[in-house]
Amino acid sequence: TVLAIARAGGIRRLVVVPAMLGALAEAADEQVISVSGLIQVVSAGAKLEDHHAAACRRVFPDAELIEYY
């Protein structure tokens, strides 16, 4: 999965739509994990809602979050 690859250090930057960001955060919450090592998350394609941004910061605490909309 994306989370497993990211946790192993195989992903440094992630570009997703907010809905996918929400789904990744939900999966991470179910697995009780956070992913360090990711340096950047770009959210594009739709408005990034506050709850998605909070979820991103919780799951990817070391990543810079950029909204491209």
Side-chain angles (χ1 to χ4, degrees):
T1 68
V2 171
L3 291 173
I5 295 168
R7 286 188 75 202
I11 298 174
R12 304 287 289 158
R13 288 181 180 85
L14 187 62
V15 179
V16 293
V17 296
M20 179 57 71
L21 188 55
L24 288 171
E26 185 176 311
D29 287 345
E30 289 173 2
Q31 299 172 38
V32 192
I33 62 169
S34 68
V35 180
S36 59
L38 204 67
I39 62 170
Q40 192 174 69
V41 175
V42 178
S43 175
K47 176 73 177 127
L48 181 66
E49 301 295 335
D50 290 341
H51 66 279
H52 286 135
C56 179
R57 290 186 181 98
R58 183 179 66 252
V59 175
F60 306 111
D62 300 332
E64 172 188 24
L65 176 59
I66 297 172
E67 180 179 15
Y68 180 73
Y69 177 66

